[in-house]
Amino acid sequence: MLVITENSEVLMHFSIKLEDGSVAESTQAMGKPAKFRMGDGSLTDNFERCLLGLAEGEKSQFVLEPEDAFGLPNPDNIHHVDLARFGAEAPAEVGTIIAFSGPDGQDIPGVITAVVGDSVTVDFNHPLAGQRVTFDVEVVGIEG
């Protein structure tokens, strides 16, 4: 029976639950499991440690503290942008997620957290930064 090792390619369903029990994300809701390679940097080290040794078909649940999941909020990731940069297509409204072009040309999502006068506060931290989360995982397939 195959088990997840440090070099495995893994196909799994997962859901991320917040402390209040609400589901922040679920591959089952999207109807398609996630595929990733262990050690490729797409998951945190602690998340990967929780997956090591799980077998194909196995289900598991684990809780990760903020620093082990999506990190702690970083004040350097909060920026103030001139209101003039927003328009009818992308209005500056609190709670709106807008993609900004990063220095490398990649889109970086930011959440508008405040609009005061001509200043718009945009938070580029991961939306789940600072959250303790519960992962429910079901290993669908393992290669390698």
Side-chain angles (χ1 to χ4, degrees):
M1 176 178 278
L2 285 176
V3 298
I4 297 173
T5 67
E6 292 174 352
N7 300 325
S8 296
E9 185 172 89
V10 181
L11 186 65
M12 73 176 188
H13 274 294
F14 69 88
S15 63
I16 302 171
K17 294 179 187 169
L18 304 179
E19 286 191 279
D20 66 4
S22 63
V23 176
E25 187 173 347
S26 169
T27 58
Q28 267 122 353
M30 295 184 294
K32 185 177 178 185
K35 188 175 192 175
F36 64 92
R37 178 160 296 282
M38 296 286 284
D40 71 0
S42 62
L43 303 174
T44 65
D45 291 343
N46 285 329
F47 185 96
E48 286 191 0
R49 272 195 288 280
C50 292
L51 297 176
L52 285 172
L54 293 180
E56 205 168 84
E58 191 171 352
K59 294 181 180 181
S60 183
Q61 182 181 78
F62 47 91
V63 177
L64 292 178
E65 296 299 322
E67 55 274 14
D68 297 329
F70 298 98
L72 296 170
N74 181 346
D76 292 339
N77 290 339
I78 298 173
H79 296 270
H80 301 283
V81 180
D82 192 319
L83 182 61
R85 291 193 58 190
F86 297 85
E89 293 175 11
E93 296 175 356
V94 173
T96 302
I97 299 172
I98 295 186
F100 292 83
S101 186
D104 58 0
Q106 296 277 8
D107 280 348
I108 303 170
V111 179
I112 296 174
T113 58
V115 179
V116 179
D118 289 339
S119 179
V120 179
T121 304
V122 183
D123 186 346
F124 289 100
N125 285 295
H126 188 284
L128 296 177
Q131 301 276 338
R132 174 191 236 203
V133 293
T134 300
F135 281 90
D136 287 319
V137 299
E138 177 184 356
V139 181
V140 176
I142 302 170
E143 290 182 23

